[in-house]
Amino acid sequence: MLALGSLIGSGWLFGSWEASKIAGPASIISWIIGGAVIGIIAYTYIELGAMFPQSGAMSKYAQYSHGPLLGFIAAWANWVSLVTLIPIEAVAAVQYMSTWPWKWANWTHQFIDNGSVTTEGLLLVFVFIIIFTLLNYWSVTLLTRFTSLISIFKIGVPLLTIIMMTMTSFHPGNYGNSLSTFMPYGSAPIFAATTVSGIIFSFDAFQTVINMGGEVRDPKRNIGRGIALSLTISGVIYIVLQSTYITSISPDLLAKVDWHGITFNSPFADLAIMLGIYWLSVLLYMDAFVSPFGTGVSFVASTGRALYAMASNHHVPAFIGKVNMKYGIPQKAILVNMFLSMVMVSIFRTWGTLASVISTSTLIAYLTGPVTVVSLRKMAPKFKRPVTLAAINFWAPLAFVLASLATYWAMWPTTIEVILVILLGFPLYFYYEWKSGWTDFRKQLKSSAWMIGYLIFISIASYIGSHEFNGQDWIKYPYDFVLVIVVSLVFYYWGIRTYYHSRYFDEAQALNERAVQLDEK
């Protein structure tokens, strides 16, 4: 329920509209592709999650197999995505609020201007971020009760929306009667929509289960099950919602403005009003608080544990990693994230921009999972594996390639912008390495060179790639995909051959033994 509460957030409120603007009716394929990409990536993390159940686990796996430098790159990229997730949910709530249709609510219309949060709206976003934080500050029990209750509501409203809109306005002809009308803008936008419209972002929350691994009961059974069930349920809901959105639009409106020209501030609520289902629009306005609140609250927990994990790796100030012994919560990490979330939304003030930043930084962090799980098979065959994944030598490189393609789909210049944000963390890393006397730095650099090379490659590929993805069109579509696939495999096989035995590997061994002993009891 925690994962499902995280997965069904603002993505369902905006994703269908954003995706159909980019790809038309073919956007339904974008959701299938996005779900498959994240599902295959998540599969490679189940073995790691069961081996090392701990708080903020996603920020630690890479350092177990490749040392602290790669661990820092992965942790920093993942943390950038998580700290951006908190404000995007607050922005979603404020954006829906800004279109309240009642006369007494005219004062809310000043919160959004041309899709961007205004100064007045920003203050309300800050209030929501503070509330998200307070619900995490004292108790994980309060968090789980809140998310379990709210998840039931978050599933019910999308299902009711599907039923009522299908009953009121059902135009299957909107899918078109030929391949050209089904894909009015070609095939490339199907892939672009997967990352740009927030589809990858909408599926990203599976890692909530991983990052809360230290608090999950029976991790051997529940980590894999929690990820599989939540991704499956949310995936079905998202795909059916996209179909409902496509078939609910009036054919007359499509004939006038086409999919590109449909402009909503509060997509499903605006659509409900157009269809005359006013009571449903009221419920949707309510859900625009509930869904983002559930996700925002869950990700304050996950982000706090990710920053806590980075502090325990000795690459951010130690005070951030202190845990309140009474409540078992990394309270200072949560407060730091609250402040940085406010800074992030002050810079990136639109839902779409925040979604692109989240998707790209998440995918870069996920690249290390497939490499780490296979590397640990080689360097630690005797580790206890409560879950041993089948055919990992097939699924791991496939996950790496899919993450690479989805990163490329984010389009230039988003790719380089996010990579530059990740590089901003390097001075912090080098400062703490200098303080520690550059221990094993050559080994660290050698073991992480594949990732550094990869980031350079994907930046160049994005720039020289096809114009469909905002590149210079030096490499035409779909040959740009071939380039990304082939070169990504080179970096994957380089990565699984450059693991090394650092002090963090010894920590992993101790954690693995302790976790398995607790599981056996």
Side-chain angles (χ1 to χ4, degrees), residues 305-322:
R305 282 155 181 79
L307 190 56
Y308 156 79
M310 289 174 67
S312 68
N313 297 345
H314 311 296
H315 287 116
V316 297
F319 78 90
I320 292 175
K322 289 185 179 179

Side-chain angles (χ1 to χ4, degrees), residues 108-269:
T108 66
H109 298 172
Q110 62 185 323
F111 293 157
I112 300 289
D113 182 24
N114 292 325
S116 181
V117 178
T118 63
T119 302
E120 294 85 354
L122 193 62
L123 293 175
L124 187 57
V125 168
F126 289 170
V127 170
F128 288 160
I129 291 172
I130 291 169
I131 294 172
F132 297 165
T133 301
L134 292 177
L135 282 169
N136 277 272
Y137 196 73
W138 289 289
S139 172
V140 73
T141 303
L142 175 64
L143 165 66
T144 51
R145 286 176 180 171
F146 176 81
T147 51
S148 294
L149 177 65
I150 218 168
S151 294
I152 296 170
F153 186 81
K154 290 172 68 171
I155 297 169
V157 174
L159 292 177
L160 186 60
T161 301
I162 290 166
I163 293 168
M164 292 309 304
M165 288 191 171
T166 301
M167 290 174 61
T168 306
S169 178
F170 183 61
H171 306 287
N174 288 351
Y175 274 110
N177 52 20
S178 65
L179 192 61
S180 61
T181 51
F182 176 65
M183 298 190 302
Y185 312 123
S187 58
I190 296 173
F191 301 103
T194 303
T195 302
V196 174
S197 66
I199 292 174
I200 292 290
F201 150 70
S202 297
F203 286 113
D204 174 53
F206 81 86
Q207 65 168 289
T208 302
V209 178
I210 301 289
N211 280 326
M212 298 289 284
E215 289 92 344
V216 171
R217 293 181 182 177
D218 190 8
K220 174 183 177 180
R221 176 170 173 260
N222 287 331
I223 287 179
R225 189 173 73 161
I227 290 172
L229 285 175
S230 59
L231 280 176
T232 301
I233 293 169
S234 60
V236 170
I237 291 173
Y238 280 133
I239 290 167
V240 178
L241 274 167
Q242 180 67 70
S243 181
T244 301
Y245 178 86
I246 290 168
T247 57
S248 294
I249 299 292
S250 164
D252 293 336
L253 178 62
L254 279 178
K256 289 180 181 178
V257 299
D258 207 0
W259 295 100
H260 281 336
I262 298 175
T263 302
F264 291 134
N265 275 330
S266 307
F268 276 106

Side-chain angles (χ1 to χ4, degrees), residues 1 20 64 107 116 212-213 228 267 346 351 361 397 419 433 498 502:
M1 293 302 284
S20 63
Y64 294 158
W107 57 277
S116 181
M212 298 289 284
S346 299
W351 189 91
S361 54
I419 288 170
E433 281 300 301
T498 54
S502 69

